[in-house]
Amino acid sequence: MREASLPKRIDAANQKAIERLFQADPVLVDVIPAKEAIPALVDHTILHAGPPIAWDQMCGPMRGAVVGIAMFEGWADDLRQAEELASEDEFAFHPNHHFSAVGPMTGMTTRSQPVLVVENRAFGNRAFCTLNEGLGKVMRFGGNDASVLARLAWLRDVLGPALGAALRKSGGISLKPLVARGLTMGDEMHQRNVGCSSLIVRALAPDLARSVEDHSMLADMLAFLGANDQFFLNIAMAMGKAVMDPVRGIDAATVVTAMSRNGTDFGITVSGLDDQWFTAPVEMPTGLYFPGFTAADANPDMGDSTIVETVGLGGFAMAAAPAVAGFVGAGSAAEAANTTRTMGEITLARNPEWTMPSLDYQGVPTGIDIRLVVETGITPLINTGIAHREPGVGQVGAGVVRAPFDCFEKALTALADRLEVV
Amino acid sequence: MNCCVNQVRRGLFLDSVVLMQVSRTVAALPGVEDAALMMGTPANQEILENSGLLVPDGESAGGGDLIVAIRAEDETAATAAMDQAVLLLDHPAAVRAASAAVQPRTLRSALRVDPNANLALISVPGDFAAAEARKALRAGLHVMIFSDNVSLDDEIALKLEARQRELLVMGPDCGTAILGGIPLAFANHVPVGDIGIIGASGTGIQEVSCLIAQAGAGISHAIGVGGRDLSDEVGGISTLTALEWLESDPKTRHIVLLSKPPSAAVVERISAELDHSRKSFTVCFLGAEDLPLPANAVAARTLRAAAASASGFQEDTSGGTGLARPLAGERKWVRGFFSGGSLAAEAQVIFLDQGIRVTSNAPIQGAHALSEVTAGHTLLDLGDDQYTRGRPHPMIDPAVRDDPLRQALHDPTVGAVLLDIVIGYGASEDPAAHVARILGHHGNRDPVVIASVTGTEEDPQVLSRQVSILDSAGVWVRPSNAAAAEAALACIVA
Amino acid sequence: MTRPPEDRKTAEPDQSSIGLNLLEAPIRVVNIGLQKFADDLVGQDVEVVQVDWAPPARGNTRLANLLSRLMD
């Protein structure tokens, strides 16, 4: 009886999904212009974070980023003109995810920007992410003034090419072992990346030095990299995308392949449901605010960075990062450990290569199963930065936010239909 | 102008004992007329509505949400009470808050904690119990279902599946088991010995096991099979498995079977099983006459007779006539309020055997249903479904008995009040003290209050202490439920 | 009472209680429901795991039914 074997069929499919996930071999190999990485990125095409969204639904920071990047690319002379073009449907908006890419917060990806390239050597697929701009007034929070555009230009013309050259010289940096080290240093790769950011700069420095003849330029680059505790976030995101993409499209599998937000909607994709998005309104993060800011200033949840939780890091690995617990207002170290344990209720496996010393080297909970989310009512917990609702102001706090239950309910119903469960 | 407020807590589930405790505290707040905390299922919403506790705010609740409902004499009192209720919900008892590690949320993750678990004890709301039991069976565990309101169809399906997997389902509605000396759910601490019990009733098992302990003997295992196991539809599936287990248990010499009377067909089937056994049996189908039993089985009409038969003690059926006092004029009637269904049934057997007419909400054969007569002796099972819809069982919450008891004490036509006090694990901390509080200064006045305590010295409440508390409150304490019923009879016929 | 290993998505059980019924081996309990039952068992040195239970699928019966077809 076909019906009786359905759970077994799903379990087998999930097993295959987990195997593919763990077989991944993500390597940071290059930094190249986005148009080389993604040929479909022509003029007037803008990739954004999260599931599909139209201009008139975009939140303040995302609109700020759109008009800013339009100017950066030379598609508009000023912000007003950029806004007009946007409202006249002159730009083609697509999710990063549809083009093997991810981007933090507003997640703008356009043809001229340099993107990190992570190659999953086990399957040959690649994933891309722009370079992290640093803190403060930046485009990922909707910043679009001259200083923001100037920095983007510097990334495009100076740092990007230099990093690319250094990476090519190095033959690529294997990311799994680096992340494993970061977990023992208190990183969880979403809100806390200082360990891995330090490790990657250390790994790149010699080849960077060999690739940049001008000492003053090299000094500027190292200063920039050294000042950015979150530099590794974008690498971790591209890694997550590269790891999860081969897990897409396994018939009957219920493993989540992506989670993402566009400031309005939260979307998930599920292995057995190919690239279909299941969306619901984003929830508001709860957390701690920097001095001078309150919850009234917060933008709704945004960014592709939840790909990090999708592979078992971030909020899922909070037990490895007790310092983050206080930072995001999740409480004490014991509560951080409990968060990881609770995420264990909705995941199928523990990653043997990414272990947490404080939990007796238990592996991070990996492989979110939509059936377990629906059964237990426990939704994935995400460590996230909180952006100011006004474009360009920047980060105003950090907190935890949940993936909406409705996404999983919709996905489960769709899967049941697909599998012809009456 | 009284005021009713509701608050809905989405996705908050608390077990029925916690809900009861919070409800009780909130209901006692100044100005509060009534309060209830219930999960927002359609059935519960109806109960709230019927109690005048549901307002539109509460109607939005779903089955996984908690409704806090309060009716108070005015808005101020209602708001204050709601604030207090919210505080109680947000700051759960110290015990749970203090535990460092989270508890597993499902059977599946519990089995990661203990892969060698062999028994699932299930006491979730009835609507969900069958699904949990099924999961447990498929994971290879035996199951004890404390929950009631499980459908008959589900019970049959579960027991058939269990049988096929060589597993045992105790229940549904199984309140008591003792395995290898370990009391489970509502059970007493009794010495280990060579008498096994298979019971379709929790309090029946409790009374028999405690009387056996009183006689200086002990219990090997007491296996609860649930109230419907010996029905025609279920056909005794769990009883059969229990018989097989006790048959091959070297520590069990004699087996007591307890149930309300099954149909003739089922009795015949059980009889055939007993006939194949090498052990000896006492069969107590409360109130049943003329059972066709094989030579190795003896019939007992009451729980006390069953305990006597199994352990070899002599029953004292005198009813303590020397202590009886005649009831004055108008005071003719006996009112019994029982928390144990089998104890209510046993009392009915004793009355009917003396030819005394009796009425009950759970009448045995020969007794009258409540709807039929208005006056007369009444023996009520307060644990019956009609009393426990949306309320905790009287063994969990002794307050269920308070109002009926008070009414009886002030009723000039009542001559004797009969109570059962069941102690042991699962029972409340001090049932005797609770009764004593309700009796207040009633003392030795009429109606005479007669009670028995089902329990042992080793129970947390300590049998002798409970007896002493009741004694000081003016209660006439008898050594068994049967003896208490006989004492009440003695008052009537004296 | 054998437990086919594929029905138990767990670590390897030890050999001591395979094939035994509840009377032949010490009971090891998973308590799903009233916390009080677990507390009483802990007090008697019985191995017990308390499940922090909530209605499946947040009380949504349609979803719970779907789940039962998709999950063992």
Side-chain angles (χ1 to χ4, degrees):
Chain A
M1 244 190 78
R2 202 161 178 274
E3 263 276 343
S5 69
L6 194 47
K8 296 272 185 290
R9 195 174 138 208
I10 295 174
D11 288 344
N14 285 341
Q15 192 163 343
K16 185 165 163 192
I18 298 294
E19 274 164 17
R20 285 214 190 151
L21 202 165
F22 287 156
Q23 275 160 17
D25 181 16
V27 181
L28 178 62
V29 294
D30 209 346
V31 175
I32 56 178
K35 61 179 176 273
E36 280 175 34
I38 307 166
L41 269 186
V42 296
D43 273 346
H44 286 214
T45 298
I46 300 176
L47 306 185
H48 60 78
I53 186 167
W55 167 255
D56 52 20
Q57 292 171 291
M58 289 182 185
C59 61
M62 194 171 279
R63 287 192 178 199
V66 165
V67 298
I69 207 67
M71 283 186 61
F72 175 75
E73 291 286 353
W75 303 330
D77 295 328
D78 55 42
L79 298 175
R80 196 193 45 81
Q81 192 192 12
E83 231 182 280
E84 261 172 36
L85 289 169
S87 49
E88 284 158 13
D89 282 335
E90 288 296 324
F91 300 131
F93 295 111
H94 299 281
N96 279 308
H97 266 289
H98 292 185
F99 293 92
S100 306
V102 282
M105 285 290 166
T106 54
M108 299 288 102
T109 309
T110 51
R111 53 188 278 107
S112 309
Q113 292 179 77
V115 294
L116 298 153
V117 180
V118 173
E119 185 176 277
N120 184 344
R121 292 202 168 145
F123 298 96
N125 62 299
R126 294 181 150 204
F128 314 107
C129 187
T130 51
L131 292 167
N132 193 287
E133 300 157 271
L135 309 167
K137 192 177 281 192
V138 291
M139 179 159 286
R140 75 172 178 282
F141 290 110
N144 53 25
D145 67 12
S147 73
V148 173
L149 300 189
R151 187 185 302 105
L152 287 180
W154 183 77
L155 290 175
R156 176 194 62 201
D157 299 332
V158 179
L159 184 62
L163 284 176
L167 280 166
R168 289 188 296 271
K169 270 198 193 10
S170 76
I173 299 178
S174 183
L175 294 175
K176 277 214 271 196
L178 207 143
V179 166
R181 282 194 79 178
L183 285 169
T184 68
M185 294 165 73
D187 281 359
E188 35 73 289
M189 288 78 202
H190 195 155
Q191 276 307 290
R192 193 168 157 116
N193 279 285
V194 61
C196 284
S197 296
S198 307
L199 291 174
I200 199 92
V201 170
R202 201 173 75 163
L204 283 168
D207 283 317
L208 193 62
R210 289 185 195 105
S211 306
V212 180
E213 287 189 1
D214 183 330
H215 280 184
S216 166
M217 275 176 73
L218 176 61
D220 287 342
M221 288 182 210
L222 289 171
F224 176 84
L225 293 170
N228 187 358
D229 284 353
Q230 284 288 76
F231 182 71
F232 191 79
L233 172 64
N234 296 37
I235 299 170
M237 287 173 60
M239 175 191 74
K241 178 70 173 161
V243 166
M244 291 313 298
D245 271 356
V247 183
R248 289 175 175 268
I250 300 172
D251 180 50
T254 52
V255 171
V256 172
T257 48
M259 294 192 289
S260 190
R261 326 79 106 202
N262 58 27
T264 306
D265 283 332
F266 194 112
I268 67 170
T269 57
V270 178
S271 177
L273 292 161
D274 307 305
D275 296 330
Q276 195 180 347
W277 287 102
F278 298 94
T279 63
V282 287
E283 301 187 1
M284 287 300 285
T286 57
L288 297 174
Y289 289 87
F290 303 156
F293 298 106
T294 70
D297 301 311
N299 195 64
D301 199 29
M302 188 168 55
D304 289 324
S305 55
T306 33
I307 192 69
V308 152
E309 272 79 12
T310 310
V311 293
L313 302 170
F316 284 51
M318 227 198 304
V324 167
F327 183 55
V328 298
S332 66
E335 275 147 3
N338 283 343
T339 297
T340 292
R341 284 197 192 94
T342 305
M343 293 303 102
E345 296 275 352
I346 59 173
T347 46
L348 293 168
R350 309 284 170 266
N351 192 327
E353 293 182 286
W354 289 344
T355 61
M356 298 166 286
S358 69
L359 287 188
D360 273 334
Y361 296 95
Q362 189 182 89
V364 298
T366 315
I368 302 165
D369 184 348
I370 60 171
R371 299 174 305 169
L372 295 175
V373 172
V374 172
E375 183 196 31
T376 61
I378 299 168
T379 45
L381 184 142
I382 296 145
N383 284 346
T384 187
I386 305 174
H388 198 288
R389 52 176 48 252
E390 295 302 318
V393 176
Q395 186 169 353
V396 297
V400 296
V401 74
R402 296 268 183 179
F405 186 75
D406 275 356
C407 295
F408 300 88
E409 176 174 345
K410 287 177 184 170
L412 192 82
T413 305
L415 188 82
D417 280 346
R418 171 89 75 107
L419 298 175
E420 292 171 1
V421 172
V422 168
Chain B
M1 179 61 205
N2 74 11
C3 172
C4 184
V5 290
N6 288 172
Q7 207 184 100
V8 174
R9 299 297 290 268
R10 307 254 164 238
L12 178 60
F13 176 81
L14 295 170
D15 80 34
S16 54
V17 173
V18 174
L19 287 184
M20 177 213 61
Q21 287 164 342
V22 178
S23 294
R24 193 109 67 82
T25 308
V26 173
L29 291 172
V32 174
E33 290 171 8
D34 200 0
L37 277 74
M38 305 184 98
M39 300 310 291
T41 59
N44 284 350
Q45 288 204 22
E46 207 185 306
I47 293 170
L48 287 175
E49 174 130 54
N50 292 339
S51 307
L53 281 168
L54 189 67
V55 291
D57 280 345
E59 285 166 18
S60 68
D65 305 325
L66 176 66
I67 306 176
V68 184
I70 299 174
R71 194 178 68 246
E73 58 195 27
D74 58 39
E75 202 182 315
T76 317
T79 315
M82 184 58 81
D83 288 343
Q84 186 62 12
V86 166
L87 254 177
L88 286 170
L89 289 176
D90 289 342
H91 293 91
V95 169
R96 291 198 70 181
S99 68
V102 290
Q103 291 167 338
R105 306 281 198 108
T106 61
L107 172 70
R108 184 188 313 108
S109 44
L111 289 174
R112 274 191 233 132
V113 176
D114 185 5
N116 298 305
N118 54 14
L119 174 63
L121 172 47
I122 297 169
S123 55
V124 299
D127 286 342
F128 302 100
E132 296 298 325
R134 190 165 297 117
K135 284 192 289 194
L137 290 175
R138 288 179 189 177
L141 279 73
H142 303 276
V143 172
M144 177 172 167
I145 308 175
F146 176 85
S147 317
D148 59 8
N149 290 310
V150 173
S151 79
L152 181 61
D153 283 343
D154 278 335
E155 177 171 352
I156 294 169
L158 285 168
K159 287 182 172 175
L160 286 174
E161 184 164 353
R163 185 92 187 142
Q164 197 235 331
R165 292 177 182 273
E166 296 179 41
L167 297 168
L168 175 67
V169 172
M170 293 184 276
D173 201 12
C174 173
T176 305
I178 308 172
L179 299 177
I182 308 288
L184 285 156
F186 286 77
N188 304 87
H189 203 97
V190 294
V192 172
D194 61 8
I195 302 169
I197 304 177
I198 302 174
S201 146
T203 44
I205 294 176
Q206 289 190 267
E207 177 77 351
V208 170
S209 60
C210 289
L211 291 178
I212 286 172
Q214 238 178 63
I219 303 295
S220 55
H221 308 282
I223 301 173
V225 293
R228 284 186 306 220
D229 194 62
L230 289 172
S231 64
D232 281 318
E233 296 90 339
V234 181
I237 299 173
S238 292
T239 301
L240 186 61
T241 304
L243 281 169
E244 288 166 2
W245 284 13
L246 289 175
E247 184 69 22
S248 44
D249 175 39
K251 303 205 190 81
T252 301
R253 169 193 59 84
H254 182 90
I255 299 161
V256 177
L257 274 182
L258 299 173
S259 171
K260 52 185 197 269
S263 71
V266 172
V267 171
E268 210 181 291
R269 201 173 318 140
I270 297 293
S271 238
E273 284 305 315
L274 302 193
D275 201 17
H276 291 135
S277 166
R278 286 161 294 140
K279 310 215 174 180
S280 57
F281 292 84
T282 300
V283 178
C284 175
F285 294 152
L286 275 167
E289 301 268 4
D290 297 326
L291 295 171
L293 296 174
N296 58 337
V298 153
R301 284 178 60 70
T302 65
L303 301 171
R304 183 185 57 192
S309 155
S311 58
F313 77 77
Q314 269 296 96
E315 279 187 274
D316 169 13
T317 57
S318 65
T321 29
L323 295 165
R325 62 174 191 264
L327 301 178
E330 275 286 289
R331 291 189 178 281
K332 290 201 276 244
W333 306 121
V334 173
R335 295 270 175 271
F337 303 109
F338 295 88
S339 53
S342 283
L343 302 177
E346 184 182 42
Q348 289 179 61
V349 170
I350 286 177
F351 271 54
L352 291 174
D353 278 357
Q354 294 285 333
I356 307 290
R357 203 177 72 167
V358 73
T359 307
S360 175
N361 62 315
I364 66 170
Q365 175 130 61
H368 293 275
L370 267 182
S371 50
E372 292 170 20
V373 292
T374 44
H377 307 295
T378 59
L379 301 174
L380 298 182
D381 170 14
L382 294 175
D384 196 47
D385 280 353
Q386 68 186 120
Y387 292 107
T388 58
R389 263 192 87 212
R391 303 202 61 169
H393 193 277
M395 283 184 54
I396 293 178
D397 182 11
V400 174
R401 187 158 58 181
D402 293 355
D403 281 344
L405 176 54
R406 280 196 197 97
Q407 259 170 34
L409 292 172
H410 291 106
D411 184 338
T413 67
V414 173
V417 171
L418 252 185
L419 302 173
D420 60 354
I421 280 87
V422 181
I423 62 173
Y425 291 97
S428 57
E429 235 177 78
D430 199 339
H434 186 98
V435 169
R437 251 194 321 274
I438 303 300
L439 292 177
H441 300 296
H442 183 82
N444 278 325
R445 296 207 291 267
D446 286 338
V448 59
V449 180
I450 308 169
S452 67
V453 181
T454 301
T456 65
E457 278 306 287
E458 285 69 42
D459 281 334
Q461 302 88 341
V462 186
L463 174 62
S464 57
R465 261 207 318 111
Q466 294 287 289
V467 171
S468 152
I469 291 169
L470 292 167
D471 198 56
S472 306
V475 176
W476 185 16
V477 185
R478 303 295 296 137
S480 69
N481 181 63
E486 281 161 354
L489 269 182
C491 290
I492 305 170
V493 300
Chain C
M1 314 309 122
T2 46
R3 264 179 244 116
E6 60 267 23
D7 283 353
R8 296 281 297 264
K9 297 174 185 60
T10 65
E12 276 305 304
D14 63 39
Q15 298 302 300
S16 62
S17 57
I18 295 204
L20 301 177
N21 68 35
L22 286 176
L23 312 186
E24 294 165 325
I27 54 168
R28 303 176 68 103
V29 181
V30 174
N31 188 50
I32 308 170
L34 301 175
Q35 173 91 34
K36 186 161 193 332
F37 292 162
D39 293 342
D40 287 341
L41 287 171
V42 166
Q44 299 176 77
D45 289 327
V46 173
E47 293 289 338
V48 54
V49 179
Q50 171 70 15
V51 169
D52 181 10
W53 186 87
R58 296 190 175 180
N60 180 324
T61 46
R62 178 192 71 85
L63 280 179
N65 285 335
L66 266 187
L67 270 181
S68 66
R69 321 290 277 284
L70 301 172
M71 234 167 49
D72 276 335

